[in-house]
Amino acid sequence: MLIIVLIGGILMIAQYFLNIPFLNSLYKKILDWSIVISIFALVIAIRSLLARQFKAIRERTEHIVLPLTTIVSFSAVVIIGLIWGVGEGGFVDTVYKKFLVPMQAAIFSLLAFYIASASYRAFRAKNFSSIVLLAAASIVIIGRIPLGDALADMTTVTLKSGPFALIDFPRWAEWILNVPNVGIKRAFAFGITIGIVFTSLKVIFGIERGYLK
Amino acid sequence: MILDLITLALIICIFSFLFKDNPFFKFTERLLVGVSAGYGFLIIIRDGFLAKFVDPLRTGDLSVIIPGLLGLMFVFTLFRRTAFLAKYPLAFLLGTGAGMEIGPRIETSIIKQISAMGSHVSGPVEIINRTVLFISALSSLYYFLFAVRKNTKFDRFFAGTGIVFMMIAFGATFGYTVMSRISLLIDIIDSVVLRFF
């Protein structure tokens, strides 16, 4: 197994740094192969999901309607999709547009309420760091709502160089997002990349073997 | 119209969670899990299994039998005695996946980012912005540099600067996330709920 990992890893590193046509075509092939292998893993995952529902029905750990809902909805979508296809305008497409998209948006928008309550607890100006965090968040929030534009319009004065807004939240928000925020994201990207590269090398050279257990 | 009404009812069931966890929310949640899994399964069958496995087989590309066999080995996880066989496809995915990550990651997240910081700038505002960007990146990296003892005043000042910039970035990310969630909420209310009033 370690040999498979070592050879696969070294070939894929080599194809990136050495421009050898054989390795490049092998890379494309292995990308497709990985998708095919992952599909079988997905089948196992779905089997696990359904087995869990059947177990819940058997052992009555929750009301029977709940696991049945998952089984019936999954089966209905799969059977109808396999019979009539998943093309534009079909049943599955309608389910996606009319059901999945608004439902997922509703679940995510639920977080708005929880973020509001979390921010009440988190945004207490207890020390200098939290004041900076509070100020940055407030500027970005006000800068992205109509109030920010209205304040900028109200406080605009005309200088020789042209109009200048004294309280310009949208511009400040843009600056925060594009300058210090990008700098920090870059620094984090460096750190994350170094971590990924060294973990990958540890996996390839057999130092990290947790997956074998 | 009927579909819209069903969607509205389900959205109300989801928002009922704000009051407390209740059977209506649980039902909608399970429905969402089932439908999402079914939809995902169908899409992967169409775009993955048929496109990457069946179609090449039809055109005579027998090499796809290799990932097919490796994938089938995952099924052996279901049986205790043969479960070890599932480690082979896992080893293949891990080895090739790890190898594929290294090159592009180094290029996009390190080399291109450094070269973007060093690219040509024009005008005093851009120079100030670039300097702030550079100091923010460097000071936050310095803060996380645990291999060096930060004893001198400069060390503590520079690491502290890193914390301040990180707080600005966290605050900005928080504000941005709040606004995106609220936009979703407004969109849901506007496109689904207000349609009926």
Side-chain angles (χ1 to χ4, degrees):
Chain A
M1 257 175 268
L2 289 173
I3 293 287
I4 296 174
V5 176
L6 182 70
I7 294 171
I10 286 176
L11 281 177
M12 288 304 102
I13 294 171
Q15 70 77 28
Y16 191 81
F17 292 104
L18 310 173
N19 195 17
I20 301 170
F22 162 72
L23 286 177
N24 292 343
S25 62
L26 183 71
Y27 167 74
K28 282 175 193 157
K29 197 140 245 182
I30 284 180
L31 269 183
D32 287 347
W33 287 9
S34 303
I35 294 169
V36 175
I37 296 171
S38 307
I39 294 163
F40 288 91
L42 178 88
V43 173
I44 299 294
I46 283 173
R47 182 244 167 222
S48 166
L49 172 76
L50 294 178
R52 198 181 151 83
Q53 307 308 316
F54 283 116
K55 193 179 172 196
I57 294 172
R58 237 187 358 259
E59 295 177 2
R60 303 271 165 147
T61 48
E62 54 191 345
H63 197 285
I64 193 166
V65 171
L66 297 174
L68 263 183
T69 306
T70 308
I71 295 167
V72 171
S73 57
F74 172 80
S75 313
V77 171
V78 168
I79 291 167
I80 293 171
L82 288 177
I83 295 171
W84 283 293
V86 283
E88 188 87 16
F91 172 79
V92 177
D93 187 51
T94 310
V95 164
Y96 177 74
K97 284 178 184 158
K98 292 271 180 186
F99 178 80
L100 268 182
V101 172
M103 288 298 107
Q104 281 169 352
I107 292 269
F108 276 113
S109 65
L110 262 187
L111 285 175
F113 295 95
Y114 288 97
I115 284 177
S117 92
S119 60
Y120 174 72
R121 285 185 292 259
F123 279 8
R124 279 185 206 155
K126 282 177 282 191
N127 50 41
F128 181 65
S129 295
S130 57
I131 291 170
V132 173
L133 186 117
L134 173 65
S138 307
I139 290 170
V140 170
I141 289 171
I142 298 171
R144 299 183 81 82
I145 55 174
L147 176 69
D149 293 316
L151 279 171
D153 289 342
M154 280 195 299
T155 56
T156 299
V157 289
T158 311
L159 301 174
K160 272 185 186 175
S161 55
F164 178 78
L166 296 170
I167 302 173
D168 199 348
F169 279 101
R171 212 165 130 195
W172 298 343
E174 203 185 314
W175 184 82
I176 287 176
L177 286 168
N178 290 337
V179 182
N181 186 42
V182 169
I184 296 298
K185 292 256 162 76
R186 277 189 186 159
F188 283 9
F190 289 166
I192 292 166
T193 303
I194 289 166
I196 287 175
V197 168
F198 281 95
T199 309
S200 300
L201 288 172
K202 276 166 80 178
V203 168
I204 290 168
F205 292 111
I207 300 163
E208 172 62 54
R209 301 179 188 183
Y211 63 95
L212 289 175
K213 285 174 190 163
Chain B
M1 186 68 180
I2 294 169
L3 270 176
D4 292 333
L5 272 173
I6 294 170
T7 309
L8 176 67
L10 291 171
I11 285 173
I12 292 169
C13 287
I14 287 175
F15 283 124
S16 70
F17 185 73
L18 290 170
F19 173 61
K20 67 175 189 181
D21 199 5
N22 61 73
F24 297 107
F25 175 76
K26 278 183 179 161
F27 168 77
T28 316
E29 186 190 42
R30 293 305 185 88
L31 192 66
L32 187 63
V33 168
V35 174
S36 300
Y39 182 76
F41 181 76
L42 286 172
I43 295 300
I44 283 174
I45 290 290
R46 185 190 67 181
D47 297 345
F49 188 70
L50 294 177
K52 306 282 182 193
F53 185 70
V54 176
D55 288 349
L57 265 184
R58 276 188 192 150
T59 54
D61 181 7
L62 295 177
S63 67
V64 288
I65 291 173
I66 300 169
L69 288 174
L70 280 169
L72 269 178
M73 284 180 174
F74 271 129
V75 180
F76 290 110
T77 43
L78 303 176
F79 313 103
R80 196 172 288 173
R81 276 189 179 181
T82 53
F84 72 96
L85 284 171
K87 301 263 167 36
Y88 287 97
L90 201 62
F92 179 82
L93 286 178
L94 266 175
T96 53
M100 283 175 193
E101 276 287 306
I102 292 173
R105 281 273 180 184
I106 291 173
E107 190 181 340
T108 54
S109 298
I110 295 182
I111 296 170
K112 279 193 177 164
Q113 300 296 331
I114 289 172
S115 63
M117 275 206 258
S119 61
H120 178 72
V121 285
S122 57
V125 177
E126 258 195 70
I127 291 171
I128 292 168
N129 284 349
R130 192 63 65 81
T131 311
V132 172
L133 200 147
F134 180 70
I135 292 172
S136 64
L138 202 67
S139 59
S140 64
L141 277 176
Y142 190 74
Y143 172 76
F144 286 110
L145 198 65
F146 299 116
V148 177
R149 279 191 187 172
K150 298 180 186 93
N151 290 332
T152 66
K153 268 189 180 174
F154 172 78
D155 290 334
R156 282 196 292 275
F157 171 74
F158 202 49
T161 310
I163 294 177
V164 171
F165 277 118
M166 276 190 277
M167 286 302 144
I168 293 174
F170 294 154
T173 310
F174 185 86
Y176 194 78
T177 311
V178 168
M179 292 319 292
S180 66
R181 296 289 189 248
I182 289 180
S183 301
L184 268 175
L185 181 66
I186 292 168
D187 187 49
I188 282 285
I189 292 170
D190 192 42
S191 64
V192 183
V193 182
L194 288 184
R195 187 182 289 183
F196 297 95
F197 299 100

